[in-house]
Amino acid sequence: DQQVKQNSPSLSVQEGRISILNCDYTNSMFDYFLWYKKYPAEGPTFLISISSIKDKNEDGRFTVFLNKSAKHLSLHIVPSQPGDSAVYFCAASAGGQGAQKLVFGQGTRLTINP
Amino acid sequence: DTGVSQDPRHKITKRGQNVTFRCDPISEHNRLYWYRQTLGQGPEFLTYFQNEAQLEKSRLLSDRFSAERPKGSFSTLEIQRTEQGDSAMYLCASSGGRLIGETQYFGPGTRLLVL
């Protein structure tokens, strides 16, 4: 069973506009959520995280929103830059602050067009 | 320390052979994780260590797979009698540093191809 789902395999956005990546989860025990970015032939790079006690966390151009009732989170990137082109994974864990195993979605390939 | 390192970066082997991968975590991190990623999928959890103790193993980790973390520093993942279905990217992550906290930081991965 896929406990974390990213239903959009790909997304194309114009440079300078907002990119919105979505993620849904089914396990109500998840209490910590992360977004990672991955370039080809590299490991995932941590971007931003959010605890279930919050509904928003912001870091520069990146903002993560959490809607617990809908079991949905999203990553907003604004403004989008060409270097943001990569595969983005959302991940979730139960037990606080990612100290346990992470459950990943399938990923969304983001392409930023000049 | 510049991050998690993994060796080798690539490995091609014939079916039935044994392979071993190494992961060196960020220094002072007491937790170390192994994940496997196949094409078009996100990473899947295999196992994790706190210091030298292996605390959890996924059902994905068949009896052909064994992981160790002697002395709570580097870790090795061995696959015995490899099968073509073992072809994947094997990722290592670490966490648990006093300054960094519990966020898991990943290495570059070892790509395994079983012929």
Side-chain angles (χ1 to χ4, degrees):
Chain A
D1 63 330
Q2 192 74 31
Q3 298 185 67
V4 178
K5 294 183 182 179
Q6 294 175 256
N7 290 318
S8 298
S10 62
L11 177 66
S12 186
V13 174
Q14 199 79 16
E15 181 179 0
R17 305 294 291 268
I18 184 171
S19 296
I20 300 176
L21 297 101
N22 293 302
C23 180
D24 297 294
Y25 62 96
T26 57
N27 189 340
S28 57
M29 298 299 292
F30 288 148
D31 57 7
Y32 194 69
F33 304 88
L34 308 91
W35 284 93
Y36 285 85
K37 171 171 141 177
K38 188 177 185 302
Y39 293 118
E42 293 184 13
T45 301
F46 170 72
L47 274 177
I48 193 168
S49 61
I50 187 167
S51 164
S52 60
I53 62 174
K54 296 184 175 181
D55 53 20
K56 176 183 174 181
N57 189 25
E58 191 172 355
D59 184 1
R61 296 186 299 114
F62 302 93
T63 302
V64 56
F65 295 91
L66 176 62
N67 182 335
K68 288 186 291 295
S69 60
K71 294 191 174 67
H72 177 84
L73 66 155
S74 61
L75 174 68
H76 292 209
I77 306 172
V78 54
S80 300
Q81 299 174 354
D84 295 330
S85 295
V87 178
Y88 289 77
F89 292 98
C90 69
S93 72
Q97 282 205 304
Q100 310 297 328
K101 65 183 181 185
L102 295 179
V103 179
F104 283 84
Q106 309 96 308
T108 296
R109 181 177 300 279
L110 176 64
T111 302
I112 306 301
N113 301 309
Chain B
D1 194 309
T2 57
V4 179
S5 62
Q6 293 186 244
D7 183 70
R9 295 290 307 273
H10 304 273
K11 179 71 177 179
I12 300 174
T13 191
K14 292 182 179 179
R15 188 178 54 188
Q17 298 294 305
N18 299 342
V19 295
T20 300
F21 309 141
R22 176 180 170 126
C23 171
D24 287 273
I26 294 171
S27 58
E28 296 185 357
H29 274 186
N30 56 12
R31 293 191 179 92
L32 186 149
Y33 307 78
W34 285 98
Y35 291 83
R36 181 173 71 184
Q37 185 179 15
T38 53
L39 200 61
Q41 300 297 317
E44 294 175 290
F45 171 79
L46 291 178
T47 187
Y48 105 90
F49 294 83
Q50 179 152 329
N51 299 312
E52 63 273 11
Q54 189 172 17
L55 296 188
E56 187 172 350
K57 291 167 62 172
S58 163
R59 57 182 169 77
L60 292 175
L61 214 65
S62 75
D63 56 5
R64 297 185 298 105
F65 288 70
S66 62
E68 293 182 345
R69 193 184 182 196
K71 303 178 183 177
S73 56
F74 72 91
S75 175
T76 58
L77 177 68
E78 181 184 16
I79 309 174
Q80 296 183 325
R81 304 181 304 282
T82 52
E83 302 173 354
Q84 289 183 327
D86 297 331
S87 296
M89 172 78 87
Y90 290 83
L91 294 161
C92 175
S94 70
S95 74
R98 187 166 44 86
L99 297 178
I100 295 173
E102 298 300 343
T103 298
Q104 294 183 30
Y105 292 87
F106 283 81
T110 295
R111 182 168 293 283
L112 172 67
L113 178 60
V114 181
L115 301 176

